[in-house]
Amino acid sequence: MLEKREICTAEYKANQVDNVVYLIAFGQHPNNRYQVDFEETPDAVFPPRFRLMHRELGGKIVEIKTRFAVFTSFQSDAPIENVTVQDKKGDHNIEVKQTSDFQIDTEIKRLLKKKNVRYKKLSTTLLSLVDEYETAGISAAVVNSAPVSMTPLSIPSGGGTPEAVIFIRCDEDARIDLPGVHVNSEKGKIRTAKVSLDALEKLSKQNYVHRLSGSVKLEPLNDLAATKTQLNNFRNNNNQNLTGKDVIIGIVDTGIDSLHSCFAGRILSIWDQTIKGDGWGAKTYGQVFTDEKLFPASVDSIGHGTHVAGIAAGNNEKFGGVAPEASLIVVKTDFNDAHIGDGIEYIFAEADRLEKPAAVVNLSLGGHINAHDGTDCLSELIDRHSREGRIVVAAAGNEAAANIHAAVDIVPDNTIEVPVRISQAPEDRLSPIVLFSGWYNANGNCRISVRAPNGDSTRFQPVISRGKPTRYRRIGETLIRLTTPPATASHNGDHGFFLKLQGKIQPGDWQILIHNAGIDNVRVDIWSAVPGNFRTAKFLDFIDHDMKIGSPGSAAGAITVGAYITKNNWNLPGGEPITMPAIVDDISASSSPGPTRKGNPLKPDIVAPGEMIASARSRHSTQLNVFQLSDDFVINSGTSMACPFITGICALLLQQNPLLTPTQIRDFLIAKGHIPDPLPKTHHKKWGHGLVTF
Amino acid sequence: MNYQKIDAFLSDALGEEPLTDDPDFIVFIRTVKPPDLEQIEELKRLGVKDASLERNIFSAQISSRAISQLSDKSWIRLLSLSQKLQPLI
């Protein structure tokens, strides 16, 4: 890893031309040892502050005077008087000269010509990365991104342009929908996104984008989740020191970093469903490891499972979990819901075999190709497996802000057109599938058609009761597969239709046309899903912001958890705070709301801290995290984080009484739930029964 | 093949290809009630290895031909395609 040290003899100049401020540093070194860069201090102040960083290069050192000149820029609609630059000599307050273009300082002009200023909204770190990528290629950019506080890059699996996780400062309602740009929120003035380096230029040219900055590594701070819920009151209640000892916590997820210090000596077994092996019992897929020396053969390359396990059961003084002495059984799943069900069965069967009376399984996962009513097969398996001492906890989902659900009420003999926008797939990754799952009551009778952006449409397809109910049609290069079976071909006795678009899907506005051919009014619910999230398919009208808890969150037998915000800020290196646009003591904006499609079961059950939660980081994780604390710990957000908090609490409850049933545990949590004023204290579609508070 | 016992997702996945013996489909099998011994043998023969007396829902990776045969059984309630979920990142 290349080192960065601040060694400086530089002079500075700054010019503002219209709405762009240019800052230049120039000087001379006695040799060619260093490369010089500006680095923006990653805080929320404006105008930005900068540091001049010297990076030691490898290779032969030549003792010859070496001049350097580097520049950076940022946008400002208002005139800027001064810019602060920090180097080894201290802070320098640089006066900004207001100039027209032709008066710009000679040095800056020379550099601008050389540099090509199309990236004027980019922070210095991003500019540096782009420069490395364009001049020296992928490997240079990735290596140079590695040092502390630089923006980390990743290479997509299968190769392609490096991607960076960045902050986007933009208009609050800006709709960011560009190839190579994957935004984590659809609203807000500050958003995080994973962006291909090739897409940065186009993104920076959008009028609604004000600034693009790289993500950074943060200073560790105590997490507030335990404080907010007064967890320690519960742990130490009645002079007990509850730690989850003798309780098994099962994690069905992306795996676990078995060598992480947070879990030392407590993992009992790992079933890796993704690799070849002898499987478990009649399930002859995957490999079970019970010898801890072999655990590292199963790798958590995504990091999600490790983080979740750490929240539930990590043992660490600063970032420990809720039940730090619970034992762990881990299933690294391939995310087929049938195999997730097998994973639950495995965990409970192992608990039986080990004669452990208490076990709780965490499911921080979900999907929307189902009826959202708890009748899908995985939900039913959860209902069957749940009993005294055998608890399942599921996350509500993170789709509250995503337009993935449309609902229409149609009178007889009428047709409603439901518009949905399908974004263009990134050029370097293929996503040939967009899926829609639609549901209406058994006594309804609907005909479905699909219209493409170019106006071409399929014929209306009725319910097909005889023979194969799937019809295939092609519009241009898009293959449309529509399945309209009778109500008998579903778990819940309702009509479920399935629409799949495949191939080279025309990006743009499609319509799903629904004609009510029955004699009664009918309500139709449709959910969209895009495997891998390479594209998005967002409804443009008839949007229903409710009913976004899919499977397994809608399972009656599961305790379903939404996410609550206990923290929205962290201190950065140097002590400066960064604040995310999230309101503390409120529900997370992304936490999926209920109700379930038929209103019963009531979901979610409860909420727990799920925003900016610090927990264990997998050494093998290739997934970028905006907020990495160290090699061992990282911050993540979502109902995936809230869910294991409750899993841990279930473990503490089961330590007290291993024979508690799911109903008893749910009732206990509901009794501890707190919904803030002025909301009514009955069940709420986002809060459930409230934040668990002891 | 009795499509009245095959859910929409599995129907789509079966496509238009001829039936084969390749175990390409991860499915849930729901019986009308917990199977008897003879039905368990039939299920195992068709690839449902964990069929048992205690319950009426099983998962297996089986072929399109096995799906077709199961769908024609009166004691089969429904065959459903396993769905791909995602970690909630």
PDB file of all heavy atoms in Angstrom, chain A residues 508-529:
ATOM      1  N   GLY A 508     -37.798   2.649 -21.096  1.00  0.00           N
ATOM      2  CA  GLY A 508     -38.818   3.676 -21.280  1.00  0.00           C
ATOM      3  C   GLY A 508     -40.082   3.320 -20.542  1.00  0.00           C
ATOM      4  O   GLY A 508     -40.089   2.488 -19.640  1.00  0.00           O
ATOM      5  N   ASP A 509     -41.175   3.947 -20.958  1.00  0.00           N
ATOM      6  CA  ASP A 509     -42.454   3.796 -20.247  1.00  0.00           C
ATOM      7  C   ASP A 509     -43.301   2.711 -20.897  1.00  0.00           C
ATOM      8  O   ASP A 509     -43.782   2.870 -22.017  1.00  0.00           O
ATOM      9  CB  ASP A 509     -43.200   5.133 -20.229  1.00  0.00           C
ATOM     10  CG  ASP A 509     -42.449   6.172 -19.415  1.00  0.00           C
ATOM     11  OD1 ASP A 509     -41.479   5.806 -18.717  1.00  0.00           O
ATOM     12  OD2 ASP A 509     -42.822   7.356 -19.464  1.00  0.00           O
ATOM     13  N   TRP A 510     -43.500   1.634 -20.180  1.00  0.00           N
ATOM     14  CA  TRP A 510     -44.386   0.541 -20.587  1.00  0.00           C
ATOM     15  C   TRP A 510     -45.734   0.730 -19.896  1.00  0.00           C
ATOM     16  O   TRP A 510     -45.858   1.489 -18.936  1.00  0.00           O
ATOM     17  CB  TRP A 510     -43.790  -0.808 -20.161  1.00  0.00           C
ATOM     18  CG  TRP A 510     -42.563  -1.202 -20.922  1.00  0.00           C
ATOM     19  CD1 TRP A 510     -41.328  -0.627 -20.861  1.00  0.00           C
ATOM     20  CD2 TRP A 510     -42.450  -2.288 -21.845  1.00  0.00           C
ATOM     21  NE1 TRP A 510     -40.458  -1.264 -21.700  1.00  0.00           N
ATOM     22  CE2 TRP A 510     -41.113  -2.303 -22.308  1.00  0.00           C
ATOM     23  CE3 TRP A 510     -43.346  -3.244 -22.326  1.00  0.00           C
ATOM     24  CZ2 TRP A 510     -40.655  -3.238 -23.235  1.00  0.00           C
ATOM     25  CZ3 TRP A 510     -42.890  -4.184 -23.229  1.00  0.00           C
ATOM     26  CH2 TRP A 510     -41.555  -4.175 -23.681  1.00  0.00           C
ATOM     27  N   GLN A 511     -46.736   0.007 -20.375  1.00  0.00           N
ATOM     28  CA  GLN A 511     -48.023  -0.041 -19.668  1.00  0.00           C
ATOM     29  C   GLN A 511     -48.451  -1.489 -19.497  1.00  0.00           C
ATOM     30  O   GLN A 511     -48.296  -2.306 -20.414  1.00  0.00           O
ATOM     31  CB  GLN A 511     -49.138   0.699 -20.432  1.00  0.00           C
ATOM     32  CG  GLN A 511     -49.059   2.218 -20.371  1.00  0.00           C
ATOM     33  CD  GLN A 511     -48.187   2.764 -21.464  1.00  0.00           C
ATOM     34  OE1 GLN A 511     -48.209   2.270 -22.579  1.00  0.00           O
ATOM     35  NE2 GLN A 511     -47.411   3.798 -21.160  1.00  0.00           N
ATOM     36  N   ILE A 512     -48.986  -1.768 -18.318  1.00  0.00           N
ATOM     37  CA  ILE A 512     -49.668  -3.044 -18.084  1.00  0.00           C
ATOM     38  C   ILE A 512     -51.156  -2.716 -18.105  1.00  0.00           C
ATOM     39  O   ILE A 512     -51.647  -1.961 -17.264  1.00  0.00           O
ATOM     40  CB  ILE A 512     -49.268  -3.668 -16.739  1.00  0.00           C
ATOM     41  CG1 ILE A 512     -47.747  -3.902 -16.693  1.00  0.00           C
ATOM     42  CG2 ILE A 512     -50.027  -4.966 -16.501  1.00  0.00           C
ATOM     43  CD1 ILE A 512     -47.223  -4.352 -15.344  1.00  0.00           C
ATOM     44  N   LEU A 513     -51.851  -3.262 -19.071  1.00  0.00           N
ATOM     45  CA  LEU A 513     -53.278  -2.959 -19.232  1.00  0.00           C
ATOM     46  C   LEU A 513     -54.087  -4.083 -18.593  1.00  0.00           C
ATOM     47  O   LEU A 513     -53.858  -5.260 -18.881  1.00  0.00           O
ATOM     48  CB  LEU A 513     -53.640  -2.825 -20.713  1.00  0.00           C
ATOM     49  CG  LEU A 513     -53.062  -1.611 -21.444  1.00  0.00           C
ATOM     50  CD1 LEU A 513     -51.627  -1.826 -21.905  1.00  0.00           C
ATOM     51  CD2 LEU A 513     -53.939  -1.246 -22.636  1.00  0.00           C
ATOM     52  N   ILE A 514     -55.043  -3.684 -17.756  1.00  0.00           N
ATOM     53  CA  ILE A 514     -55.856  -4.673 -17.050  1.00  0.00           C
ATOM     54  C   ILE A 514     -57.311  -4.377 -17.341  1.00  0.00           C
ATOM     55  O   ILE A 514     -57.806  -3.277 -17.038  1.00  0.00           O
ATOM     56  CB  ILE A 514     -55.611  -4.621 -15.529  1.00  0.00           C
ATOM     57  CG1 ILE A 514     -54.102  -4.710 -15.230  1.00  0.00           C
ATOM     58  CG2 ILE A 514     -56.357  -5.766 -14.826  1.00  0.00           C
ATOM     59  CD1 ILE A 514     -53.739  -4.455 -13.801  1.00  0.00           C
ATOM     60  N   HIS A 515     -57.986  -5.345 -17.928  1.00  0.00           N
ATOM     61  CA  HIS A 515     -59.405  -5.185 -18.241  1.00  0.00           C
ATOM     62  C   HIS A 515     -60.209  -6.059 -17.294  1.00  0.00           C
ATOM     63  O   HIS A 515     -59.948  -7.257 -17.156  1.00  0.00           O
ATOM     64  CB  HIS A 515     -59.679  -5.603 -19.687  1.00  0.00           C
ATOM     65  CG  HIS A 515     -61.128  -5.543 -20.057  1.00  0.00           C
ATOM     66  ND1 HIS A 515     -61.764  -4.360 -20.369  1.00  0.00           N
ATOM     67  CD2 HIS A 515     -62.064  -6.515 -20.117  1.00  0.00           C
ATOM     68  CE1 HIS A 515     -63.027  -4.607 -20.624  1.00  0.00           C
ATOM     69  NE2 HIS A 515     -63.243  -5.900 -20.491  1.00  0.00           N
ATOM     70  N   ASN A 516     -61.209  -5.477 -16.638  1.00  0.00           N
ATOM     71  CA  ASN A 516     -62.081  -6.223 -15.744  1.00  0.00           C
ATOM     72  C   ASN A 516     -63.193  -6.859 -16.573  1.00  0.00           C
ATOM     73  O   ASN A 516     -64.152  -6.183 -16.971  1.00  0.00           O
ATOM     74  CB  ASN A 516     -62.651  -5.310 -14.647  1.00  0.00           C
ATOM     75  CG  ASN A 516     -63.524  -6.062 -13.657  1.00  0.00           C
ATOM     76  OD1 ASN A 516     -63.747  -7.273 -13.790  1.00  0.00           O
ATOM     77  ND2 ASN A 516     -64.006  -5.362 -12.647  1.00  0.00           N
ATOM     78  N   ALA A 517     -63.055  -8.163 -16.804  1.00  0.00           N
ATOM     79  CA  ALA A 517     -64.072  -8.871 -17.591  1.00  0.00           C
ATOM     80  C   ALA A 517     -65.107  -9.533 -16.699  1.00  0.00           C
ATOM     81  O   ALA A 517     -65.944 -10.301 -17.189  1.00  0.00           O
ATOM     82  CB  ALA A 517     -63.384  -9.924 -18.471  1.00  0.00           C
ATOM     83  N   GLY A 518     -65.056  -9.228 -15.388  1.00  0.00           N
ATOM     84  CA  GLY A 518     -66.002  -9.848 -14.472  1.00  0.00           C
ATOM     85  C   GLY A 518     -67.226  -8.992 -14.254  1.00  0.00           C
ATOM     86  O   GLY A 518     -67.430  -7.968 -14.918  1.00  0.00           O
ATOM     87  N   ILE A 519     -68.026  -9.381 -13.264  1.00  0.00           N
ATOM     88  CA  ILE A 519     -69.268  -8.668 -12.992  1.00  0.00           C
ATOM     89  C   ILE A 519     -69.176  -7.811 -11.731  1.00  0.00           C
ATOM     90  O   ILE A 519     -70.088  -7.061 -11.410  1.00  0.00           O
ATOM     91  CB  ILE A 519     -70.459  -9.637 -12.879  1.00  0.00           C
ATOM     92  CG1 ILE A 519     -70.194 -10.681 -11.768  1.00  0.00           C
ATOM     93  CG2 ILE A 519     -70.727 -10.333 -14.204  1.00  0.00           C
ATOM     94  CD1 ILE A 519     -71.391 -11.580 -11.493  1.00  0.00           C
ATOM     95  N   ASP A 520     -68.057  -7.952 -10.999  1.00  0.00           N
ATOM     96  CA  ASP A 520     -67.870  -7.159  -9.779  1.00  0.00           C
ATOM     97  C   ASP A 520     -66.649  -6.282  -9.922  1.00  0.00           C
ATOM     98  O   ASP A 520     -65.752  -6.560 -10.734  1.00  0.00           O
ATOM     99  CB  ASP A 520     -67.647  -8.081  -8.559  1.00  0.00           C
ATOM    100  CG  ASP A 520     -68.883  -8.924  -8.262  1.00  0.00           C
ATOM    101  OD1 ASP A 520     -69.995  -8.351  -8.276  1.00  0.00           O
ATOM    102  OD2 ASP A 520     -68.726 -10.137  -8.032  1.00  0.00           O
ATOM    103  N   ASN A 521     -66.610  -5.237  -9.073  1.00  0.00           N
ATOM    104  CA  ASN A 521     -65.377  -4.447  -9.010  1.00  0.00           C
ATOM    105  C   ASN A 521     -64.238  -5.360  -8.570  1.00  0.00           C
ATOM    106  O   ASN A 521     -64.429  -6.296  -7.795  1.00  0.00           O
ATOM    107  CB  ASN A 521     -65.521  -3.314  -7.985  1.00  0.00           C
ATOM    108  CG  ASN A 521     -66.524  -2.272  -8.422  1.00  0.00           C
ATOM    109  OD1 ASN A 521     -67.081  -2.367  -9.513  1.00  0.00           O
ATOM    110  ND2 ASN A 521     -66.760  -1.281  -7.584  1.00  0.00           N
ATOM    111  N   VAL A 522     -63.061  -5.035  -9.031  1.00  0.00           N
ATOM    112  CA  VAL A 522     -61.911  -5.862  -8.644  1.00  0.00           C
ATOM    113  C   VAL A 522     -60.737  -4.949  -8.299  1.00  0.00           C
ATOM    114  O   VAL A 522     -60.514  -3.922  -8.949  1.00  0.00           O
ATOM    115  CB  VAL A 522     -61.521  -6.846  -9.781  1.00  0.00           C
ATOM    116  CG1 VAL A 522     -60.968  -6.119 -11.005  1.00  0.00           C
ATOM    117  CG2 VAL A 522     -60.512  -7.878  -9.301  1.00  0.00           C
ATOM    118  N   ARG A 523     -60.006  -5.331  -7.237  1.00  0.00           N
ATOM    119  CA  ARG A 523     -58.765  -4.633  -6.901  1.00  0.00           C
ATOM    120  C   ARG A 523     -57.614  -5.533  -7.321  1.00  0.00           C
ATOM    121  O   ARG A 523     -57.581  -6.724  -6.986  1.00  0.00           O
ATOM    122  CB  ARG A 523     -58.669  -4.366  -5.394  1.00  0.00           C
ATOM    123  CG  ARG A 523     -57.316  -3.782  -5.008  1.00  0.00           C
ATOM    124  CD  ARG A 523     -57.123  -3.694  -3.512  1.00  0.00           C
ATOM    125  NE  ARG A 523     -55.716  -3.514  -3.193  1.00  0.00           N
ATOM    126  CZ  ARG A 523     -55.187  -2.388  -2.699  1.00  0.00           C
ATOM    127  NH1 ARG A 523     -55.969  -1.343  -2.447  1.00  0.00           N
ATOM    128  NH2 ARG A 523     -53.892  -2.297  -2.432  1.00  0.00           N
ATOM    129  N   VAL A 524     -56.676  -4.935  -8.048  1.00  0.00           N
ATOM    130  CA  VAL A 524     -55.498  -5.685  -8.508  1.00  0.00           C
ATOM    131  C   VAL A 524     -54.251  -5.046  -7.896  1.00  0.00           C
ATOM    132  O   VAL A 524     -54.070  -3.825  -7.980  1.00  0.00           O
ATOM    133  CB  VAL A 524     -55.392  -5.681 -10.048  1.00  0.00           C
ATOM    134  CG1 VAL A 524     -54.196  -6.509 -10.499  1.00  0.00           C
ATOM    135  CG2 VAL A 524     -56.669  -6.221 -10.679  1.00  0.00           C
ATOM    136  N   ASP A 525     -53.423  -5.855  -7.282  1.00  0.00           N
ATOM    137  CA  ASP A 525     -52.119  -5.411  -6.746  1.00  0.00           C
ATOM    138  C   ASP A 525     -51.009  -5.999  -7.610  1.00  0.00           C
ATOM    139  O   ASP A 525     -51.038  -7.195  -7.942  1.00  0.00           O
ATOM    140  CB  ASP A 525     -51.928  -5.901  -5.309  1.00  0.00           C
ATOM    141  CG  ASP A 525     -52.811  -5.167  -4.329  1.00  0.00           C
ATOM    142  OD1 ASP A 525     -52.473  -4.028  -3.975  1.00  0.00           O
ATOM    143  OD2 ASP A 525     -53.849  -5.743  -3.939  1.00  0.00           O
ATOM    144  N   ILE A 526     -50.054  -5.160  -7.968  1.00  0.00           N
ATOM    145  CA  ILE A 526     -48.918  -5.620  -8.775  1.00  0.00           C
ATOM    146  C   ILE A 526     -47.631  -5.173  -8.098  1.00  0.00           C
ATOM    147  O   ILE A 526     -47.508  -4.029  -7.647  1.00  0.00           O
ATOM    148  CB  ILE A 526     -48.933  -5.028 -10.203  1.00  0.00           C
ATOM    149  CG1 ILE A 526     -50.319  -5.121 -10.833  1.00  0.00           C
ATOM    150  CG2 ILE A 526     -47.920  -5.748 -11.098  1.00  0.00           C
ATOM    151  CD1 ILE A 526     -50.416  -4.410 -12.168  1.00  0.00           C
ATOM    152  N   TRP A 527     -46.665  -6.094  -8.022  1.00  0.00           N
ATOM    153  CA  TRP A 527     -45.335  -5.752  -7.523  1.00  0.00           C
ATOM    154  C   TRP A 527     -44.306  -6.017  -8.624  1.00  0.00           C
ATOM    155  O   TRP A 527     -44.417  -7.001  -9.360  1.00  0.00           O
ATOM    156  CB  TRP A 527     -44.983  -6.606  -6.295  1.00  0.00           C
ATOM    157  CG  TRP A 527     -45.751  -6.211  -5.073  1.00  0.00           C
ATOM    158  CD1 TRP A 527     -45.403  -5.277  -4.146  1.00  0.00           C
ATOM    159  CD2 TRP A 527     -47.011  -6.746  -4.638  1.00  0.00           C
ATOM    160  NE1 TRP A 527     -46.368  -5.197  -3.163  1.00  0.00           N
ATOM    161  CE2 TRP A 527     -47.362  -6.083  -3.441  1.00  0.00           C
ATOM    162  CE3 TRP A 527     -47.884  -7.704  -5.142  1.00  0.00           C
ATOM    163  CZ2 TRP A 527     -48.530  -6.343  -2.747  1.00  0.00           C
ATOM    164  CZ3 TRP A 527     -49.057  -7.983  -4.465  1.00  0.00           C
ATOM    165  CH2 TRP A 527     -49.369  -7.311  -3.271  1.00  0.00           C
ATOM    166  N   SER A 528     -43.326  -5.124  -8.684  1.00  0.00           N
ATOM    167  CA  SER A 528     -42.246  -5.322  -9.659  1.00  0.00           C
ATOM    168  C   SER A 528     -41.008  -5.807  -8.924  1.00  0.00           C
ATOM    169  O   SER A 528     -40.813  -5.533  -7.745  1.00  0.00           O
ATOM    170  CB  SER A 528     -41.923  -4.016 -10.395  1.00  0.00           C
ATOM    171  OG  SER A 528     -41.329  -3.080  -9.510  1.00  0.00           O
ATOM    172  N   ALA A 529     -40.187  -6.559  -9.643  1.00  0.00           N
ATOM    173  CA  ALA A 529     -38.928  -7.042  -9.073  1.00  0.00           C
ATOM    174  C   ALA A 529     -37.937  -7.163 -10.204  1.00  0.00           C
ATOM    175  O   ALA A 529     -38.270  -7.623 -11.299  1.00  0.00           O
ATOM    176  CB  ALA A 529     -39.126  -8.387  -8.386  1.00  0.00           C
TER     177      ALA A 529
END
